[in-house]
Amino acid sequence: MDKIRAVLLSLPRRRKRVLQVIADVILVWLSLWMAFVVRLGIDELNSPIQQHLWLFLSAPVIAIPLFVRFGMYRAVMRYVGNDALIAIVKAVTFSSLILGVVVYWYSNHQTIVPRSIIFNYWWLGLVMIGGLRVAMRQYFSGDWFVAAQHVPFANIDDGLPRVAVYGAGAAGNQLVAALRMGRAMRPVAFIDDDSSIASRVIAGLQVFKPKHIQQMIDTTGAQEILLAIPSANRGRRREILSFLERFPLHVRSVPGFMDLASGQVKVDDIREVDIADLLGRDAVPAQEDLLERCITRQVVMVTGAGGSIGSELCRQILELRPTTLLLFEHSEFNLYNILSELEQRISRESLSVKLIPILGSIRHESKLLDVMKTWHVDTVYHAAAYKHVPMVEHNIAEGVLNNVIGTLNTAQAALQAGVANFVLISTDKAVRPTNVMGSTKRLAEMTLQALSREKAPVLFGDQSSISQVNKTRFTMVRFGNVLGSSGSVIPLFHKQIKSGGPLTVTHPKITRYFMTIPEAAQLVIQAGSMGQGGDVFVLDMGEPVKIVDLAEKMIHLSGLSVRSERNPHGDIHIEFSGLRPGEKLYEELLIGDNVAATQHPMIMTANEDHIGWEVLKAKLSELLSAVDRDDYARVRQLLRDTVSGYAPDGEIVDWIYQQRRLEP
């Protein structure tokens, strides 16, 4: 059957049409002959053709041109839908009426044609011609299972994974049609909260209420559940996922309507459950005036434009229509990726935004100043930083030079170029840090705080001691982990589950704040539009999440179970590897309790301690000197003295420092 189907599908379009016409001619004759048999009885099987040969010749001559006119041969058999069936009804009806007129004009008393013949011919033609197309649709889509599963005592098993679709709406029905066409999975049931359709049959599948999922599993043998509820908000999706977690089913999702409409994905692009549905909240609507204030019709520059946060900032900035968007990135590969994506979007949406990709490092202040002056930058979003805690702990010099000196260079270049707005992307790890990454990010915050309080500072490293007029409004935005960023635990857990485990968690009590990348970027843009300068804004991250709970949820929603002492026969084990160098059990967003609300419900402002610019310059000079000497003990001590709450809890693990201690 599969070989015949493949041969028929591979035929040229013209041959397919010829076969359809031949089949329709045969069906027209058969319908007319059956019309006589129904009227005259089984004893008159041969007499219709013998007595009314002219009628059998006239019927296809009338019908086939009408079938062509109504587009019956333009429809692709695999995708025959309601429109094609309506066209069949119209074509068969018109051909029957015309045939009736022919019978009226040309029949005589010797060859009387009963009037009921035309009616019988009409309904038999509908059944045969329409039925053939429906049957061929099922055949070419390879979906005889839907019909066969309703045959009494039939036990059909085509070997495909059996899936239930959660959501019997438009998306669910499209998904079922796509799955039947693709033949990679077998839809066996719908699950829906709507009690009015419970126990009914839609698209050949029974609809179950959520409380009857176990019954559905026992009845259909479903192995997976596909979520087809793109219009549900994140809170509702979280409720559904929490409920499904108790069943031994792999839960996956289909895209939302906006993704489908934009052409980014198709309805049968099934993916793992978005972890944001488990952890995130429904985003608060953006305030348009805050989004546009520092971007629309302005020149905007993003450092670290190819990173997780930087690239999302670029996407959202593009939507706000700046005149020019400068992508500043030191990684050629990352810069190429984000540039290609944004160029395609500009072309697709006919945007009038000029993209400028610039390969460079924030370690080079002269390059930064040259770029900002050349393009007359209005707003800088500084997202470039080293953020991986253990990596920076092992490479202290790079952490200091990139996170502290890089931020200092970018800020001083912005000040000299007369940039109006400067927004630093900070982290919750800057609060009472136990690691170099957090302490360097807090020191970067302190640098901007000090600069913002100087109307005419003498810049760091300027030997001429000439004061520089400060027209730049410096702000900082502090938040926790973003889902799906580089180094995030989510992709790691997915990979470990696919390989059969174990899932590695550093500590059973470790918790983290989480937020989606788009929500974080949108809030960063809005926060950067607020404040007078020197403000530290803190995003509302919701409640912290235990990483071990997150690991368990991901295992359960993969249709697997956790192997533990209580369940020794489970599928995947969770291992605790111990805290890594510089890692904390709990992250915080505030150093003190001095926090105030802003005009945005998800953004708060913190009143953090700061030190004067001249004092800070001396500290930075000493810190830079210690880095140049590879004196990491002194670097640690300077960070302790400068950064409030910095309390490293282990030995220095920098690779250079450790290697030199081993040398004789």
Side-chain angles (χ1 to χ4, degrees), residues 360-380:
S361 170
I362 57 173
R363 304 264 282 275
H364 301 145
E365 185 175 358
S366 59
K367 175 71 174 284
L368 289 163
L369 179 58
D370 189 30
V371 169
M372 293 182 197
K373 280 186 172 180
T374 301
W375 277 277
H376 306 289
V377 173
D378 297 298
T379 301
V380 171

Side-chain angles (χ1 to χ4, degrees), residues 24-241:
D24 284 342
V25 169
I26 295 172
L27 289 177
V28 166
W29 283 338
L30 186 60
S31 300
L32 188 57
W33 177 73
M34 286 294 295
F36 278 99
V37 172
V38 170
R39 173 64 179 82
L40 302 177
I42 197 71
D43 296 331
E44 302 290 337
L45 288 178
N46 296 322
S47 59
I49 300 176
Q50 295 171 355
Q51 297 177 21
H52 305 286
L53 181 61
W54 66 272
L55 191 57
F56 280 85
L57 295 176
S58 301
V61 172
I62 294 169
I64 298 303
L66 285 170
F67 290 177
V68 173
R69 178 66 183 82
F70 281 94
M72 288 173 53
Y73 303 117
R74 290 197 299 269
V76 179
M77 198 72 73
R78 281 170 289 171
Y79 306 109
V80 168
N82 293 336
D83 292 341
L85 294 177
I86 291 172
I88 292 170
V89 172
K90 290 179 180 178
V92 173
T93 300
F94 273 100
S95 67
S96 301
L97 291 174
I98 294 173
L99 187 64
V101 173
V102 171
V103 168
Y104 174 77
W105 283 106
Y106 291 98
S107 63
N108 54 55
H109 67 281
Q110 294 180 347
T111 57
I112 297 175
V113 178
R115 285 173 290 181
S116 61
I117 292 298
I118 299 304
F119 175 74
N120 289 340
Y121 168 73
W122 172 73
W123 70 261
L124 284 166
L126 287 178
V127 171
M128 291 186 179
I129 295 170
L132 175 68
R133 278 159 172 77
V134 172
M136 288 298 99
R137 179 182 67 185
Q138 298 298 106
Y139 173 69
F140 286 124
S141 64
D143 202 12
W144 290 102
F145 181 86
V146 176
Q149 66 181 340
H150 299 295
V151 177
F153 310 111
N155 185 17
I156 307 297
D157 185 5
D158 56 0
L160 298 178
R162 293 171 173 245
V163 299
V165 176
Y166 199 116
N173 277 273
Q174 289 179 52
L175 176 60
V176 166
L179 291 175
R180 287 172 173 169
M181 189 66 63
R183 303 190 68 213
M185 298 178 180
R186 173 63 54 205
V188 293
F190 277 116
I191 304 167
D192 203 283
D193 303 311
D194 188 351
S195 58
S196 65
I197 60 174
S199 301
R200 296 194 177 186
V201 174
I202 297 177
L205 305 179
Q206 185 174 347
V207 182
F208 291 84
K209 289 183 178 179
K211 64 181 181 181
H212 296 146
I213 287 181
Q214 189 58 54
Q215 177 190 341
M216 181 273 296
I217 296 172
D218 296 338
T219 304
T220 64
Q223 301 159 291
E224 292 191 30
I225 288 184
L226 304 180
L227 298 182
I229 46 174
S231 60
N233 60 37
R234 190 162 288 149
R236 177 62 186 139
R237 293 173 74 89
R238 186 169 62 249
E239 290 177 12
I240 292 171
L241 291 172

